[in-house]
Amino acid sequence: MKVFITGGSSGIGLATALLYHERGYEVAIAGRSFEKLEAASQGRLATYQLDVASQESVSEVSQRYMREHDGQAPDLLINCAGVMIPGEFISMPETDYWSNIDVDFKGTVLMCKAFAPAMVKRGSGQIVNVASVAGFLGIYGYTGYSAAKFAVMGFSEALRFELEPKGVSVSVVCPPDTETPGLDLEISMRPPETHAVAGSIKPVSAEVVAEAMVRGIDKKKNTIVIGALSKLYYRLKGIWPELFHVIVSSDVRKVQNH
């Protein structure tokens, strides 16, 4: 089985790549930094330097991958590349806002567009798009990130209906805060209101997320929500969205009234 993982040089992407490598699968990881890819691979994983937000880069890398694999797309594509740049909408630099959209959403779409046609032609394949808890919960200070991840959720659901009859499954993953190299910087950029909403929730390890994700992928689950609290909010938002709004609004007001 051939696996291609974007954002594979660290965090969830690398943890997932190593799990599949342990199974004996042929795993390729992609990322922007050649040095980070080489350090992550240690000769175990194939590496591709890739900017998922660039049409040119995605086209070049996907075509090269398929040339090297007899014209075949990977059996499993995991779109894990992403950035998380918080900030209040009114004061947030436009470049930061659009970076969320370009990498997290546009990058996901470009990768699916690159490999899905070959999967459909073959009649088999799995696509897994990593969204976030912020893909079903609008979070204070995350207008750019939540917009991108909500888009990934909707895109994945619509794509699933199109591709499943053609033999290709589509899953979307919603992890909570995860211990990755960029998390400390992201937390330092959060507005105080975001910290209040997050409360005392602790990030989970990339390995825990990867293990839960792989279990869901094995079962071809449509939506893989990771963590008990995340699952609770997922159900609450679907069944009683007004209550969710009241809870979060109360947390925000507590900070602003201090």
Side-chain angles (χ1 to χ4, degrees):
M1 183 171 176
K2 297 178 176 64
V3 184
F4 190 100
I5 303 176
T6 68
S9 61
S10 65
I12 298 170
L14 178 58
T16 305
L18 294 177
L19 286 179
Y20 281 119
H21 174 71
E22 290 171 5
R23 290 187 177 186
Y25 295 173
E26 183 181 324
V27 183
I29 57 173
R32 284 182 289 189
S33 168
F34 176 80
E35 291 76 16
K36 289 181 180 179
L37 286 168
E38 289 301 299
S41 170
Q42 297 183 7
R44 300 165 295 183
L45 313 168
T47 59
Y48 292 84
Q49 193 170 6
L50 169 69
D51 178 0
V52 297
S54 164
Q55 174 72 73
E56 182 180 5
S57 180
V58 169
S59 296
E60 190 276 325
V61 169
S62 61
Q63 290 170 16
R64 176 158 60 91
Y65 178 90
M66 288 194 284
R67 283 197 306 270
E68 294 170 353
H69 294 84
D70 299 320
Q72 294 295 310
D75 300 291
L76 171 60
L77 166 66
I78 302 179
N79 289 309
C80 203
V83 297
M84 186 188 298
I85 307 176
E88 293 183 323
F89 178 72
I90 291 175
S91 57
M92 188 178 192
E94 285 192 23
T95 52
D96 287 351
Y97 187 91
W98 291 113
S99 288
N100 285 297
I101 306 296
D102 286 345
V103 177
D104 297 346
F105 178 54
K106 179 184 174 184
T108 297
V109 173
L110 289 177
M111 289 304 303
C112 290
K113 192 71 171 177
F115 284 132
M119 290 182 174
V120 168
K121 183 178 180 180
R122 185 177 60 208
S124 67
Q126 284 184 270
I127 294 173
V128 178
N129 297 326
V130 177
S132 168
V133 168
F136 60 85
L137 302 178
I139 298 174
Y140 189 105
Y142 282 73
T143 54
Y145 186 71
S146 279
K149 294 302 187 178
F150 265 75
V152 169
M153 295 283 285
F155 168 72
S156 300
E157 184 172 305
L159 187 64
R160 182 183 308 130
F161 289 125
E162 291 187 20
L163 298 189
E164 277 188 340
K166 300 172 183 177
V168 180
S169 68
V170 179
S171 302
V172 65
V173 183
C174 299
D177 275 352
T178 305
E179 295 169 352
T180 62
L183 181 63
D184 288 342
L185 175 61
E186 179 258 319
I187 289 176
S188 72
M189 297 172 67
R190 287 176 177 174
E193 291 87 347
T194 311
H195 288 291
V197 173
S200 59
I201 301 172
K202 294 182 178 179
V204 298
S205 73
E207 289 73 22
V208 167
V209 172
E211 289 169 1
M213 184 164 74
V214 169
R215 287 195 299 270
I217 293 170
D218 286 344
K219 297 175 183 177
K220 294 188 177 180
K221 292 183 67 174
N222 293 340
T223 305
I224 304 167
V225 180
I226 298 173
L229 186 60
S230 300
K231 291 175 182 177
L232 173 64
Y233 273 120
Y234 181 69
R235 298 300 177 191
L236 177 62
K237 181 72 182 292
I239 296 171
W240 202 352
E242 295 85 0
L243 179 58
F244 168 76
H245 181 81
V246 168
I247 292 170
V248 176
S249 293
S250 175
D251 288 338
V252 171
R253 282 196 301 270
K254 288 176 184 176
V255 174
Q256 294 179 338
N257 290 337
H258 269 67

